[in-house]
Amino acid sequence: MKHLPAFIDINERFVLVVGGGAMAWRRTAMAQRAGARVVVVAPELVRDFESCLAFEHRARPFDASDLAGITLVYVACEEDPDYETRVAAAVREQGLLVNVADRSDISTFIMPSIVDRSPIVVAISSGGEAPILARMLRAKLESLVPAALGALAAFAGSYRDRVKELIPDIARRRRFWERVADGSVAENILGLKPGAAEARMEQLLEAARQGLDVEPAGEVYLVGSGPGDPDLLTFRALRLMQQADVVLHDRLVPDGILELVRRDADRIYVGKKQGDHSMQQQDISRTLVDLAKQGKRVLRLKGGDPFVFGRGGEEIEMLSAEGISFQVVPGISAANGCAAYAGIPLTHRDHAQACVFVTGHAKDDKLDLNWQALIQPNQTVVVYMGLISLAQVMGELIAHGADPKTLVAVVDKGTRVDQRVVTGAIGTIVDAVEKAALTGPAIIIIGSVVSLRDRLEWFADEGDTGSVTRPG
Ligand code: SAH
């Protein structure tokens, strides 16, 4: 290890910044975040300094007398390396710590890349060798560490003394904190429900007072996993996927996403192909309830968004009735994902001022849709579950007066590597889709926005077999 990692308390201490440019400003702001009093020595300052808290400005070059009473020094005068070298030498001579921006050779300390979830701070250093790599790692961590982790640490801190007093035994106390960090207390803080977290914490403390080990409280996460590309998961979805004890998934969730679920979580396939209901809705709800009552963290993973044709509402009704805590994580719905990856904006000032999502799932072979509303001009219609009933949907639209030349795109396995898009018009799309032998899942996008795909297509799409026919 080339440098000693350490966090320095500079609250109310004096920090000297030599330089008045953008980097000097960043150093000033950072030192102020840690509570330092800053003295800036530079003939001129960039305007950014106006956004800083109060600091002392000495409008002249550095002088050794500036070091009196100073704890550490930042130098950032990249336009004059010789000056930087002289200043750094003067500082070192006084035995003070000095950092010169981008010059680890003459610095006695270097600045890490940080992930700030105060009071938790992660600092990453490459020893000055490859700052870019440190920054990349930092970006990764930023996306993995929940935004509210700091709030969780502060919450835990506020209970520290009470817990210590209540549970003197170190091993038991550690188990207690593990339960807090791993269970519904933490999840409530991260889910921005501090009241619920406090109530649960009091329960845990009460149990500890009675010398009991508390049962973990089960909970359910209803999570939308998006249309298929794993990169389209939300940070929260990924976090909950990685802490679930058991996952219930169906056909719409591809393997690439299932692989991201905690490895040792139990997997339960609940099917749901049209017509083949491996598990009835009621049974799914019942299973969620039973597993949660066993203290499990249950992940119900759904394709797209759980509240868009996902029966998510039905699945959690029973949870609510049974008093089981749950949260709902939105996902990118197939319409949004497919439209983006097919290069078809759902709304556009020249084409569509409205967008309607409907289901093409027929009940007893009958489609119960408001056809008059669907043939209105200047709107886009997106049909979910419409591949099987495609001919029926197109037939009804024509029967209700739609122009057969209205453009249509069918997006099959949208956002996935094997995405295929077939385009045509209301009058021609059935043949085109038949020829392409699409297998689904697929959505149908109807409206003149489909013409924009000609210019906006960007996603690799070698299987594209259709062509856009323009009306008129
Ligand atoms: N809750 C989901 C929809 C579930 S209904 C969501 O918000 O996306 C199932 C239908 O969604 C499928 O029949 C199909 O129409 C559509 N669908 C889901 N994933 C899709 C994908 N990757 N490409 C195209 N359509 C998809």
Side-chain angles (χ1 to χ4, degrees):
M1 199 156 49
K2 200 166 146 203
H3 295 90
L4 173 74
F7 289 87
I8 306 174
D9 183 358
I10 53 165
N11 192 38
E12 291 295 319
R13 290 177 176 267
F14 284 92
V15 164
L16 183 71
V17 175
V18 180
M23 179 55 94
W25 162 67
R26 280 200 287 277
R27 298 300 197 221
T28 302
M30 179 67 86
Q32 289 186 330
R33 255 162 82 184
R37 301 199 194 180
V38 179
V39 179
V40 182
V41 183
E44 277 169 41
L45 302 182
V46 292
R47 294 202 51 173
D48 296 322
F49 275 93
E50 288 167 15
S51 66
C52 289
L53 303 174
F55 60 91
E56 183 189 334
H57 178 206
R58 299 177 189 161
R60 53 165 175 74
F62 169 81
D63 182 274
S65 65
D66 289 323
L67 297 173
I70 294 294
T71 300
L72 58 83
V73 181
Y74 287 113
V75 182
C77 308
E78 45 281 31
E79 69 289 348
D80 190 350
D82 291 341
Y83 176 62
E84 286 187 330
T85 308
R86 284 197 308 278
V87 174
V91 179
R92 278 207 307 273
E93 205 167 286
Q94 295 289 312
L96 291 176
L97 291 175
V98 60
N99 169 270
V100 187
D102 284 329
R103 295 189 60 188
S104 57
D105 54 321
I106 56 168
S107 299
T108 54
F109 74 98
I110 57 176
M111 294 299 285
S113 290
I114 64 166
V115 179
D116 187 0
R117 300 285 189 278
S118 288
I120 291 188
V121 176
V122 184
I124 307 154
S125 155
S126 65
E129 306 280 345
I132 280 289
L133 291 183
R135 278 201 286 277
M136 276 167 61
L137 182 58
R138 182 197 140 217
K140 283 215 167 104
L141 289 174
E142 283 285 5
S143 65
L144 279 179
V145 181
L149 188 73
L152 178 57
F155 178 86
S158 71
Y159 280 92
R160 225 181 112 155
D161 291 345
R162 261 176 87 188
V163 173
K164 202 165 176 180
E165 201 177 307
L166 203 61
I167 316 175
D169 179 69
I170 293 179
R172 263 196 72 211
R173 193 160 71 233
R174 195 174 66 217
R175 277 205 304 280
F176 178 89
W177 279 122
E178 276 169 4
R179 173 128 313 158
V180 169
D182 211 23
S184 62
V185 174
E187 204 38 62
N188 276 313
I189 294 280
L190 300 181
L192 308 181
K193 291 196 282 189
E198 236 165 77
R200 176 67 183 157
M201 190 68 179
E202 291 301 333
Q203 269 179 2
L204 292 179
L205 287 169
E206 182 51 36
R209 203 180 339 267
Q210 297 175 22
L212 303 172
D213 264 338
V214 259
E215 290 304 314
E219 49 190 350
V220 174
Y221 316 133
L222 179 62
V223 174
S225 68
D229 181 346
D231 274 8
L232 296 179
L233 285 168
T234 60
F235 294 150
R236 180 165 297 182
L238 187 61
R239 182 166 60 71
L240 295 176
M241 286 161 70
Q242 290 181 348
Q243 72 178 35
D245 299 310
V246 50
V247 52
L248 279 75
H249 61 98
D250 52 49
R251 193 179 53 95
L252 277 180
V253 180
D255 290 345
I257 286 177
L258 274 180
E259 275 162 21
L260 298 174
V261 175
R262 208 179 95 200
R263 227 161 271 285
D264 46 357
D266 292 329
R267 280 141 218 266
I268 302 177
Y269 177 71
V270 296
K272 276 233 189 134
K273 223 195 228 148
Q274 277 188 20
D276 146 43
H277 287 244
S278 309
M279 208 191 241
Q280 291 299 324
Q281 199 61 48
Q282 197 64 11
D283 298 334
I284 296 178
S285 307
R286 190 72 255 163
T287 308
L288 293 177
V289 168
D290 291 347
L291 289 167
K293 281 191 170 165
Q294 292 165 25
K296 300 250 166 66
R297 288 164 301 187
V298 189
L299 173 71
R300 175 66 176 110
L301 201 52
K302 304 197 68 98
D305 180 272
F307 280 3
V308 177
F309 301 125
R311 297 207 179 182
E314 294 167 47
E315 288 185 12
I316 54 179
E317 258 170 44
M318 194 187 282
L319 298 172
S320 163
E322 301 256 0
I324 288 165
S325 75
F326 62 86
Q327 53 175 305
V328 183
V329 182
I332 292 181
S333 193
N336 300 100
C338 294
Y341 279 55
I344 302 173
L346 291 176
T347 65
H348 187 286
R349 280 190 300 169
D350 300 336
H351 295 269
Q353 279 69 48
C355 176
V356 206
F357 294 178
V358 299
T359 170
H361 181 52
K363 251 190 197 157
D364 305 324
D365 277 342
K366 277 195 66 179
L367 280 171
D368 194 14
L369 293 170
N370 181 350
W371 300 105
Q372 275 312 321
L374 299 189
I375 61 166
Q376 294 308 308
N378 302 320
Q379 72 176 357
T380 305
V381 177
V382 181
V383 187
Y384 285 71
M385 294 172 275
L387 190 58
I388 293 175
S389 54
L390 182 69
Q392 208 177 340
V393 172
M394 295 304 134
E396 290 280 3
L397 287 173
I398 291 173
H400 285 84
D403 179 352
K405 294 197 196 99
T406 308
L407 297 182
V408 180
V410 177
V411 185
D412 186 76
K413 299 194 188 67
T415 79
R416 307 185 190 179
V417 279
D418 47 355
Q419 163 176 306
R420 291 168 71 196
V421 182
V422 178
T423 49
I426 290 184
T428 64
I429 193 74
V430 177
D431 283 348
V433 165
E434 209 160 278
K435 232 178 265 154
L438 301 183
T439 53
I443 58 156
I444 309 162
I445 303 176
I446 307 166
S448 66
V449 285
V450 170
S451 65
L452 297 164
R453 176 173 154 80
D454 268 357
R455 276 177 281 146
L456 303 182
E457 181 193 349
W458 60 273
F459 185 60
D461 184 20
E462 271 136 78
D464 188 358
T465 51
S467 60
V468 176
T469 33
R470 290 183 184 287

